[in-house]
Amino acid sequence: QVQLVESGGGLAQAGDSLRLSCAASGLTYSTYAMGWFRQILGKEREFVAAITWRSGRAYYADSVKGRFFISRDNDKKTVYLQMNSLKPEDTAVYYCAADKGTTVRTAEYAYDYWGRGTQVTVSS
């Protein structure tokens, strides 16, 4: 049974940093690309960042480029999202997802497994 469990969300003020973690189990983790998505209240879920399993190549949404950084530890089966210079508009539920593909993909439908999400709230 595949499980992705996010942690690290919470309350922050504008300009603060948070680091999200996503621990995976039940899959051959090192062969999956991993992604982070977020869903702002009342809006559709949107791509944030993704990282390949082999080269560690990362890709970011324009809205977070230069502020958020994705990384992974294949030994720990964990993917991280370091979020710096947080803004109130980053407030959302953040989800991690696993993709069997070998390239970075930004489309929600490309991902095979999803976590339940962790809330991030940024106040001004």
Side-chain angles (χ1 to χ4, degrees), residues 45-112:
R45 194 153 52 184
E46 63 179 15
F47 172 79
V48 175
I51 187 167
T52 60
W53 69 268
R54 185 192 295 271
S55 64
R57 177 174 172 256
Y59 186 79
Y60 299 92
D62 288 342
S63 58
V64 305
K65 202 172 293 183
R67 299 188 300 123
F68 290 12
F69 300 94
I70 188 171
S71 61
R72 64 188 296 160
D73 185 328
N74 288 345
D75 291 335
K76 295 183 178 179
K77 297 186 177 182
T78 300
V79 63
Y80 305 96
L81 185 68
Q82 178 67 41
M83 305 187 296
N84 301 325
S85 302
L86 283 164
K87 303 176 181 180
E89 50 263 45
D90 294 320
T91 295
V93 177
Y94 284 73
Y95 299 88
C96 78
D99 172 14
K100 291 180 182 177
T102 57
T103 61
V104 167
R105 297 194 283 188
T106 63
E108 200 175 331
Y109 65 78
Y111 288 76
D112 303 284

Side-chain angles (χ1 to χ4, degrees), residues 12-43:
Q13 292 190 327
D16 284 353
S17 297
L18 284 176
R19 189 176 80 155
L20 305 183
S21 300
C22 173
S25 61
L27 51 73
T28 306
Y29 176 78
S30 61
T31 63
Y32 282 74
M34 299 298 295
W36 286 97
F37 289 74
R38 68 186 181 186
Q39 188 165 22
I40 299 168
L41 189 63
K43 297 188 177 181

